[in-house]
Amino acid sequence: MGFTVNRRKTRTCMVGDRPVGGDHLVAVQTMTKTKTWDVDGTLRQIRGAQDKGVDIVRVACPDDKSAAALPAIIAGSRVPIIADIHFAPGLALKALEAGVHCVRINPGNIKLELVQKIVALAKDKGAAIRIGVNSGSIMPRKGLEVKQDMELEMADLMVDTAVQWCEQFDKWGFHNFKVSLKSSDVLTTIYTNRRFAQQTDVPLHLGVTEAGMLQASTVKSSIGLGTLLGEGIGDTIRVSITGDPLDEVDVGYEILSALRLRKKNVEIVACPSCGRDEVDGGVETLARQVEERLRDYKGNITVSVLGCIVNGPGEAAEADLGIAGAKDAGYLFKGEQILRRVPNEKLVDELMIELYKLEKRTRRRSSQPRAIE
Ligand code: SF4
């Protein structure tokens, strides 16, 4: 059995054919960074993210030109598309008419009768709504001094606002929605989502907004999202990175896989290296080669890459296959068993040969008829 995260019980929100919440795997999202009216460029990013395993993609919809591009984007994407509207009700209606699977709105910035109109159209079209409450739209502007108690008050206000919108949507007879409570502050993100989770069964989209470049965002998102996910809170995530959206998907999967909430196809367990490292150019070079060779591998495999075998192959016993550097010739191993010694420059090639042998055996076993019990 081992350790597992007990997920919070939520209702399910359908974003196209992708269920979010309930017992479903936590969905990984990203957002395109292209001009949405650039259909080819946007679809190129969506397809790249699809190849990485993204579940849902959000596109910005700031103007009519972008809304007009939505039908072509939806037609060209294998994953559901969310149009990010924020506070322009007219665009939300256009996006829903165009067939988006979900619109992300900040209802606090829209007149009530127009929110109701958006909700009615979403219901009619079978689309979902993400109620987005951002600290930026509630908290005082950056640069102003925020006293400790005021910070707490504002965070509570975010939660209360989101809860009230949920109650309003339910009263209108619309239940296919999820909520995001986003802040660029990690502690506020944790506090607001925890508090919201105690009060409703509405699925939560998690993210730390404006989290920065790859390294800063990875740290902030791992702490913010990781803390909540570890407590079972969160049904879909987006890691916001100032940079490549494909990195957002990769980091999202890393966080979920660290908590055993999702399994990546390929897991590379590499040691950090130290003075015992026997690999030419260091274990990092070897790990990068393995990563490159497994980039398009579609099976499920955990590979361990060690700089030396000082602690024995048992160090990476959870891996299916592994390689370790050693003087003159390294080791190739399967689980804890050493298969053979291999010249260091051939380690990756031999690893790939073993991997395909293993895959062939697994395929043969799974195609054999099962005994009748
Ligand atoms: S496996 Fe070897 S090289 Fe890697 S960190 Fe451990 S002792 Fe150092």
Side-chain angles (χ1 to χ4, degrees):
M1 269 291 280
F3 297 113
T4 51
V5 169
N6 285 323
R7 300 265 313 277
R8 161 184 169 247
K9 300 270 172 273
T10 71
R11 62 176 89 167
T12 301
C13 168
M14 290 301 297
V15 179
D17 59 1
R18 178 53 160 101
V20 173
D23 292 330
H24 302 281
L25 292 175
V26 179
V28 175
Q29 295 195 28
T30 187
M31 189 167 180
T32 52
K33 321 241 163 156
T34 50
K35 295 291 178 202
T36 303
W37 45 257
D38 171 11
V39 173
D40 290 344
T42 303
L43 278 175
R44 242 192 321 277
Q45 280 198 352
I46 293 174
R47 288 179 186 139
Q50 278 172 190
D51 291 344
K52 289 268 175 194
V54 79
D55 296 299
I56 298 168
V57 174
R58 182 159 49 117
V59 300
C61 188
D63 48 31
D64 284 348
K65 211 171 155 191
S66 301
L70 290 172
I73 292 170
I74 295 159
S77 167
R78 281 202 318 266
V79 295
I81 298 294
I82 302 179
D84 196 297
I85 303 304
H86 259 283
F87 46 77
L91 289 170
L93 297 171
K94 280 184 185 155
L96 287 166
E97 288 293 357
V100 281
H101 306 100
C102 177
V103 284
R104 185 260 175 176
I105 59 170
N106 187 342
N109 291 334
I110 302 173
K111 279 190 188 146
L112 188 65
E113 61 267 29
L114 290 173
V115 177
Q116 193 167 8
K117 209 167 161 189
I118 294 167
V119 167
L121 188 59
K123 193 173 178 185
D124 196 41
K125 296 280 180 190
I129 294 181
R130 181 177 129 200
I131 300 172
V133 179
N134 273 27
S135 61
S137 58
I138 288 194
M139 301 275 211
R141 300 247 158 252
K142 269 197 182 126
L144 289 182
E145 199 194 332
V146 180
K147 291 199 196 97
Q148 190 89 41
D149 53 349
M150 194 169 165
E151 193 176 29
L152 187 63
E153 225 170 87
M154 292 297 179
D156 284 341
L157 186 59
M158 266 177 86
V159 178
D160 296 345
T161 307
V163 171
Q164 279 164 17
W165 278 115
C166 294
E167 288 167 359
Q168 183 64 73
F169 276 35
D170 277 334
K171 255 188 231 155
W172 284 333
F174 181 74
H175 311 290
N176 197 32
F177 60 89
K178 55 199 167 81
V179 159
S180 63
L181 294 142
K182 285 200 181 178
S183 166
S184 53
D185 179 68
V186 173
L187 294 178
T188 306
T189 304
I190 294 171
Y191 176 84
T192 50
N193 282 283
R194 256 187 201 149
R195 196 166 162 253
F196 179 88
Q198 286 161 0
Q199 298 183 50
T200 81
D201 69 343
V202 173
L204 270 167
H205 169 102
L206 302 183
V208 176
T209 193
E210 295 147 22
M213 312 280 282
L214 180 60
Q215 185 170 327
S217 173
T218 302
V219 172
K220 287 184 192 173
S221 303
S222 302
I223 297 171
L225 277 51
T227 302
L228 291 161
L229 289 163
E231 294 171 12
I233 300 167
D235 305 284
T236 175
I237 61 167
R238 183 216 173 179
V239 174
S240 304
I241 296 174
T242 312
D244 194 339
L246 305 192
D247 285 336
E248 296 190 355
V249 182
D250 279 343
V251 177
Y253 267 100
E254 287 292 347
I255 294 172
L256 294 178
S257 120
L259 291 163
R260 302 184 185 173
L261 288 164
R262 293 283 295 256
K263 190 162 168 26
K264 292 188 299 173
N265 277 357
V266 176
E267 187 96 45
I268 299 173
V269 186
C271 82
S273 179
C274 72
R276 289 198 175 88
D277 195 334
E278 299 273 9
V279 176
D280 289 340
V283 71
E284 187 185 346
T285 319
L286 195 59
R288 282 197 194 286
Q289 285 170 18
V290 172
E291 193 176 56
E292 192 52 46
R293 295 284 288 272
L294 290 175
R295 190 171 297 284
D296 298 318
Y297 186 72
K298 298 284 180 244
N300 274 314
I301 190 95
T302 302
V303 173
S304 123
V305 184
L306 303 176
C308 75
I309 204 151
V310 69
N311 293 327
E315 174 130 311
E318 281 160 28
D320 301 295
L321 289 170
I323 48 179
K327 211 166 173 37
D328 304 324
Y331 292 87
L332 175 68
F333 51 92
K334 189 167 138 201
E336 290 188 55
Q337 178 204 353
I338 292 176
L339 292 177
R340 55 187 174 276
R341 291 199 71 178
V342 177
N344 283 327
E345 66 280 9
K346 291 242 158 60
L347 271 174
V348 181
D349 290 338
E350 293 282 324
L351 172 79
M352 293 307 290
I353 291 169
E354 255 346 284
L355 184 136
Y356 286 112
K357 271 194 215 162
L358 193 73
E359 190 183 283
K360 230 166 151 180
R361 269 198 298 272
T362 317
R363 254 205 315 263
R364 240 192 339 254
R365 258 204 312 273
S366 59
S367 64
Q368 274 166 9
R370 289 182 58 200
I372 298 168
E373 286 157 16

